[in-house]
Amino acid sequence: MSASTSTVRWGRAVAEARTNIALVKYWGKRDAALNLPAAGSLSLTLDGLVTRTEVRFDGKLNEDRLVLNGKAETGKPVTRISQVLDLIAALAGGRERPRAQVESTNSFPTAAGLASSASAFAALALAGSGAAGLQLPPPALSVLARRGSGSAARSVLGGVVLMNRGTAADGLDSHAEELLSIDEARAWGLRMVVAVTSEGPKETLSTDGMNRTQETSPYYAAWIKSVDGDLAAARQAVLARDLPRLGELTEQSCLSMHASALAARPAVVYFRGVTIEGHRAVQQLRKAGTPVWFTCDAGPHIKALTDAAHADAVAAALGALPGVLSSRVCLPGAPAQLIESGSGAAA
Ligand code: 2P0
């Protein structure tokens, strides 16, 4: 082991991060190697959908190990966490690092299809850097999480989060920032209803879906061109606490993103029948006076932005749709948190 490595305190740490739902979506990259987004995005961090991750550097291990919800993983998931741990080692000044035991659990059933790389890589970035003795400020932590997964950059922060596209070639200005704290977002009364429509892993992974959209969709350029304006308008709507305007932009951004994906060749289709029925139900609720707006991500689940006074009724209405397995109301969530850190088994 190099001299510089021996000065790093390789220990263990535990961190928690929550998933987030984008109101202005991220879909496309300006640099694949550094995982830099082609445009900014805006999200709500959600309470209750938590990933808890322990990283323990251990000089006795000869490879990184990942245990996800009690099951040992191999292959690509391990390679992805190893890459983030290598970046942490570089930040810590170590030329080499001990291998690590990483154990991660989700507070929500992975089979429900809500398992998210956002909470996973935000928790990994915080636990990994903590286990290497680093106390990274939120922008640096967000940059690190972004290297694991673009949406993870946002889960480092709580409340309403703005992800900056950045312009620097090294990507160091491409990080998230808090636009409203968890307390401000809760005081406003923001709620996200999540209706789970199917079990099992998604059919096209987000990274593959967005890459295919970027490479083949004739509508990709128009989609990216629309994001800056939507983002500026959504930022204003958040600062003005204008829920109808934010909701309108949320629904537009989601449908524009999916329109670009639908036009990819071959098409990237995340909707199922129930997803479209969810959109229709949200429109009908809105016509009847409920402040609620539809969104969905790289999967068939229905999400609806609403307020505290209407969230239970929205969850009940979406929960009653044929094909919806369960629905829940999520409050704005907290930033990623370091739960424990200390010396571990690292030699
Ligand atoms: C978002 N999604 O803004 C968008 C909307 C899904 C649909 O960010 O390639 O898993 O790891 O950076 O973060 C999912 O993309 O993609 C995503 P990578 P990620 O939430």
Side-chain angles (χ1 to χ4, degrees):
M1 211 173 271
S2 70
S4 64
T5 303
S6 64
T7 63
V8 178
R9 186 189 60 80
W10 301 105
R12 65 176 283 281
V14 180
E16 284 184 355
R18 286 136 205 86
T19 196
N20 71 78
I21 303 292
L23 309 181
V24 177
K25 303 293 187 190
Y26 149 56
W27 199 249
K29 301 177 198 278
R30 71 180 166 92
D31 183 308
L34 292 174
N35 204 30
L36 293 171
S41 55
L42 187 124
S43 60
L44 182 65
T45 300
L46 299 188
D47 196 37
L49 303 175
V50 185
T51 300
R52 183 183 179 99
T53 297
E54 173 175 0
V55 174
R56 184 169 52 83
F57 288 106
D58 185 344
K60 296 187 196 69
L61 292 176
N62 51 22
E63 60 186 10
D64 291 325
R65 290 194 197 152
L66 171 64
V67 177
L68 203 53
N69 296 315
K71 180 177 163 285
E73 298 281 338
T74 53
K76 203 171 170 192
V78 182
T79 309
R80 283 182 77 183
I81 61 133
S82 295
Q83 285 166 349
V84 173
L85 295 174
D86 289 345
L87 292 168
I88 290 168
L91 289 171
R95 282 193 291 273
E96 289 175 30
R97 64 170 173 88
R99 300 298 101 184
Q101 175 82 23
V102 178
E103 298 200 18
S104 193
T105 48
N106 292 325
S107 72
F108 45 97
T110 307
L114 287 174
S116 163
S117 58
S119 51
F121 281 101
L124 178 69
L126 184 53
S129 55
L134 294 172
Q135 283 184 307
L136 298 177
L141 197 60
S142 178
V143 164
L144 181 61
R146 192 203 72 231
R147 296 289 297 268
S149 197
S151 52
R154 301 186 309 237
S155 274
V156 167
L157 286 314
V160 178
V161 177
L162 179 68
M163 174 70 193
N164 296 300
R165 175 193 186 272
T167 53
D170 62 9
L172 294 183
D173 60 351
S174 181
H175 58 75
E177 62 182 90
E178 212 170 77
L179 192 57
L180 291 189
S181 69
I182 173 176
D183 290 344
E184 289 168 327
R186 287 186 178 192
W188 182 12
L190 284 184
R191 295 289 184 273
M192 185 68 74
V193 173
V194 177
V196 172
T197 62
S198 72
E199 294 185 352
K202 52 186 141 186
E203 284 155 21
T204 306
L205 295 173
S206 323
T207 310
D208 299 339
M210 80 172 77
N211 287 344
R212 202 196 305 165
T213 303
Q214 187 159 0
E215 285 159 16
T216 68
S217 171
Y219 300 160
Y220 175 75
W223 149 249
I224 290 297
K225 208 172 154 207
S226 73
V227 180
D228 277 356
D230 284 353
L231 200 56
R235 186 176 178 280
Q236 284 308 316
V238 168
L239 295 177
R241 308 293 196 273
D242 184 344
L243 184 60
R245 180 70 180 131
L246 181 64
E248 183 182 37
L249 290 158
T250 295
E251 201 165 297
Q252 275 171 13
S253 175
C254 165
L255 295 175
S256 300
M257 180 210 108
H258 282 280
S260 74
L262 287 167
R265 296 162 190 191
V268 176
V269 186
Y270 291 111
F271 300 143
R272 299 214 191 142
V274 64
T275 322
I276 299 295
E277 288 306 321
H279 176 253
R280 185 175 157 76
V282 165
Q283 277 186 317
Q284 285 176 336
L285 284 167
R286 205 161 62 231
K287 263 189 207 149
T290 302
V292 59
W293 294 268
F294 170 88
T295 189
C296 69
D297 292 290
H301 312 301
I302 303 158
K303 290 134 190 188
L305 181 69
T306 185
D307 66 14
H310 298 88
D312 288 342
V314 170
L318 295 180
L321 291 175
V324 170
L325 303 177
S326 66
S327 65
R328 64 188 292 164
V329 176
C330 295
L331 275 76
Q337 290 158 333
L338 195 63
I339 306 295
E340 294 170 32
S341 76
S343 54

